Amino acid sequence: AQSVTQLGSHVSVSEGALVLLRCNYSSSVPPYLFWYVQYPNQGLQLLLKYTSAATLVKGINGFEAEFKKSETSFHLTKPSAHMSDAAEYFCAVSDRNQFYFGTGTSLTVIP
Amino acid sequence: EADIYQTPRYLVIGTGKKITLECSQTMGHDKMYWYQQDPGMELHLIHYSYGVNSTEKGDLSSESTVSRIRTEHFPLTLESARPSHTSQYLCASTLRDRGGQETQYFGPGTRLLVL
């Protein structure tokens, strides 16, 4: 079975600073990779997904993620944090159409 | 994208009551899922279905049951609610693209409080 590791359960950044949320997966074969965002009292909303077409994936709200096979990583970044980015972020892997989620990273944006 | 509806959004109920959480999607997706999530915590898969009359238990043991009589409808039932069932319940379905890749889309969730 796959496993997904999100380093840092809580990340704080200043407004306007770079956002970096880390995700590593375990797989000998490149899986399908996703990032979801969850706002309070809401479901998960798809931010972006890796489909093997390009290693750098652009998503909604200015987020992007880079697939690095050598590092088995799929870190999420945003150049400049906005207050509205404060939320819970989940990395997920799909392997043979089974989905595996990380434990989530809570992003706090400091004004 | 997928439109997934969950009702109720919030529910406060007493111990011992029977409750059904509704989930529906209008996209004709075959695969549907129920997750349990405590606030700010990870998701735990409790049930899934790959189509009509197909239901399976997930990784997390749950006292709930599900049914899948129609493609668009995947309700979750607790026969006798207990305070330990207090949680958020998320329904999801998957969309398969032309390349065969599946993407999960989620409903807004039902937040359940059992007193």
Side-chain angles (χ1 to χ4, degrees):
Chain A
Q2 286 276 356
S3 69
V4 180
T5 303
Q6 291 186 239
L7 292 175
S9 58
H10 298 276
V11 171
S12 294
V13 299
S14 298
E15 189 175 14
L18 171 72
V19 176
L20 171 60
L21 305 182
R22 300 177 187 274
C23 174
N24 290 87
Y25 64 92
S26 66
S27 175
S28 59
V29 178
Y32 295 118
L33 297 155
F34 308 82
W35 273 100
Y36 289 87
V37 60
Q38 184 180 35
Y39 299 102
N41 299 319
Q42 296 291 324
L44 276 66
Q45 179 183 0
L46 181 67
L47 264 181
L48 50 81
K49 62 181 180 181
Y50 168 70
T51 61
S52 76
T55 56
L56 184 63
V57 182
K58 293 187 182 299
I60 63 172
N61 301 339
F63 284 93
E64 60 184 35
E66 185 174 9
F67 170 69
K68 291 187 176 180
K69 181 179 177 181
S70 61
E71 299 177 5
T72 59
S73 69
F74 190 56
H75 301 331
L76 182 71
T77 61
K78 181 174 180 178
S80 177
H82 192 272
M83 295 299 294
S84 60
D85 295 327
E88 190 84 14
Y89 292 81
F90 291 90
C91 181
V93 168
S94 172
D95 181 14
R96 283 167 286 191
N97 292 324
Q98 293 287 326
F99 287 85
Y100 305 87
F101 288 84
T103 53
T105 297
S106 177
L107 177 66
T108 299
V109 181
I110 304 166
Chain B
E1 288 289 339
D3 292 325
I4 303 173
Y5 307 96
Q6 289 187 246
T7 57
R9 291 293 318 280
Y10 303 92
L11 179 62
V12 181
I13 202 163
T15 296
K17 299 292 186 182
K18 177 180 178 179
I19 58 172
T20 296
L21 308 184
E22 302 288 349
C23 176
S24 62
Q25 48 93 7
T26 58
M27 300 299 291
H29 296 165
D30 287 328
K31 295 183 180 179
M32 297 187 72
Y33 307 77
W34 277 104
Y35 292 88
Q36 185 174 341
Q37 183 191 29
D38 291 327
M41 302 295 285
E42 62 195 288
L43 283 74
H44 295 284
L45 180 66
I46 52 175
H47 296 284
Y48 60 98
S49 167
Y50 285 174
V52 171
N53 294 326
S54 157
T55 61
E56 301 287 344
K57 289 187 180 295
D59 304 323
L60 180 68
S61 174
S62 174
E63 295 166 343
S64 58
T65 60
V66 292
S67 63
R68 190 87 184 276
I69 298 172
R70 303 197 318 263
T71 298
E72 63 270 21
H73 197 212
F74 190 39
L76 181 145
T77 298
L78 280 165
E79 291 292 334
S80 180
R82 294 209 300 268
S84 60
H85 296 139
T86 295
S87 190
Q88 174 159 257
Y89 294 84
L90 296 171
C91 181
S93 69
T94 59
L95 172 66
R96 180 187 289 263
D97 64 22
R98 294 177 184 174
Q101 179 186 356
E102 293 186 344
T103 301
Q104 274 201 351
Y105 292 94
F106 286 80
T110 293
R111 186 171 292 280
L112 173 66
L113 172 61
V114 183
L115 302 175

